Amino acid sequence: MIQEVAERWGKLLGQCSPMHIPDGAADLPLHVTHWGDTGPDVLLVHGGVQGGIGGGPANFGGQRPLADQGWRLKLVDRPGFGASPSRGPDNMQTDAELIAGLLGDRSHLIGHSFGGAVALLAAAQRPAAVASLILIEPALQAMVAADTESMAAPDVQEGTRIVVDALLESETPAEFARSFAQRLGNGAAEGPNPSAAMLEVDPARAHGLGCSLLQAQMATPEVLTRAAKTVVDAQLAVLVISGGYTPNQDSVGRALARLLAGRHVIVRSPNHFVQEENPDEFNEVVDAFMRDSDGAH
């Protein structure tokens, strides 16, 4: 299986052009959008890889009401999204260093998908600066797959195979992108989620997104596991949120909560974009969790 995955990965990656890195991009700061003038800081890290739908306000627009509830929101554009220039292929550990530098003295940290893994790594770099850590279906399947206890459950096994299964059924980067997106749930009863719908009508974008997925630099299970241990040892308040659209992903969420000594909750969503599809319930859950964390501190 490992050899088959490596061969397929290499075959698809060979169809991709190297990603262009603009001169001087690595020296530019990340763009941050600010909502709210008072209250505790909340740093929000969006998911996705370059070429998809993403960016701070684009992925967290539904959380703007939190600014009216006494939170000072800081919405980051990761490199290659929004107003932040690309620094080359998406890189979890590089992004984490940038995010850790934005935490200030103390911030609540919310991360979605790829940005959830980035948030975990950033929290491990500066745990004393993290008031709470909230992960929305984070891209931490590799860490769960390395845990024997978690992988004893068939649902968890299935939930950790999302990338591998998409890869093995694809012959081109575009097919890989569409297969991966389709595994993230449906946006409505009559059609696929927004990302999947976009890729069906835009082959060039599907190819670009597939190449971004293939070129992305993911943290290893060992690095992620060490980060999780740091977070647990620091006794950070951790909440893992999943969308309830598939038992497999909910099972992965429960496994992650156990590994991070945190809580798991389901905020009902038809797809992976929980905070976008069900912002009212999501905001209620995270508002209460952050207030409880601040009260305990």
Side-chain angles (χ1 to χ4, degrees):
M1 172 66 75
I2 294 176
Q3 182 176 352
E4 184 181 5
V5 169
E7 290 175 353
R8 183 61 59 89
W9 199 286
K11 176 182 177 181
L12 269 58
L13 189 59
Q15 301 174 45
C16 299
S17 300
M19 186 175 291
H20 174 68
I21 305 175
D23 291 339
D27 299 323
L28 297 176
L30 295 183
H31 181 266
V32 181
T33 299
H34 297 265
W35 291 341
D37 298 320
T38 60
D41 285 340
V42 182
L43 187 59
L44 299 103
V45 187
H46 65 85
V49 294
Q50 294 167 70
I53 299 173
N59 285 154
F60 288 107
Q63 281 56 70
R64 190 159 194 162
L66 289 171
D68 298 325
Q69 296 172 236
W71 303 102
R72 188 163 52 186
L73 307 184
K74 297 189 293 185
L75 298 92
V76 180
D77 287 339
R78 287 179 29 238
F81 293 88
S84 294
S86 175
R87 298 175 179 229
D90 297 89
N91 188 307
M92 280 184 178
Q93 291 180 264
T94 299
D95 284 7
E97 293 173 5
L98 297 169
I99 296 302
L102 296 174
L103 286 169
D105 293 331
R106 190 167 175 82
S107 299
H108 295 275
L109 183 55
I110 301 176
H112 173 234
S113 195
F114 190 102
V118 170
L120 172 65
L121 293 168
Q125 290 185 31
R126 296 188 61 207
V130 178
S132 71
L133 178 62
I134 299 172
L135 306 176
I136 314 155
E137 297 203 351
L140 294 171
Q141 286 85 357
M143 184 177 82
V144 175
D147 179 65
T148 303
E149 182 177 345
S150 297
M151 292 297 283
D155 279 354
V156 174
Q157 293 180 28
E158 289 297 318
T160 60
R161 288 179 53 88
I162 182 170
V163 173
V164 169
D165 286 346
L167 185 72
L168 292 178
E169 73 175 26
S170 303
E171 295 293 335
T172 67
E175 289 179 5
F176 176 45
R178 286 191 288 264
S179 178
F180 178 77
Q182 288 165 359
R183 285 172 161 77
L184 300 181
N186 293 329
E190 66 274 11
N193 69 53
S195 292
M198 171 190 71
L199 299 177
E200 289 295 336
V201 299
D202 193 339
R205 193 163 191 177
H207 175 84
L209 180 59
C211 287
S212 289
L213 286 166
L214 293 162
Q215 293 168 336
Q217 301 297 303
M218 314 295 279
T220 66
E222 294 78 15
V223 167
L224 294 169
T225 299
R226 285 198 299 270
K229 184 178 186 305
T230 299
V231 165
V232 171
D233 289 346
Q235 298 183 327
L236 295 187
V238 178
L239 179 66
V240 179
I241 298 175
S242 62
Y245 57 92
T246 166
N248 298 341
Q249 292 308 313
D250 292 336
S251 294
V252 170
R254 283 190 291 273
L256 283 170
R258 178 182 59 80
L259 292 171
L260 292 166
R263 289 173 48 201
H264 170 252
V265 300
I266 295 174
V267 174
R268 291 291 171 185
S269 170
N271 60 48
H272 178 60
F273 303 92
V274 181
Q275 75 280 9
E276 299 178 48
E277 294 283 357
N278 191 355
D280 292 342
E281 184 179 349
F282 176 87
N283 293 348
E284 181 180 350
V285 167
V286 300
D287 175 76
F289 186 77
M290 292 189 297
R291 291 185 189 280
D292 287 347
S293 299
D294 281 345
H297 175 72

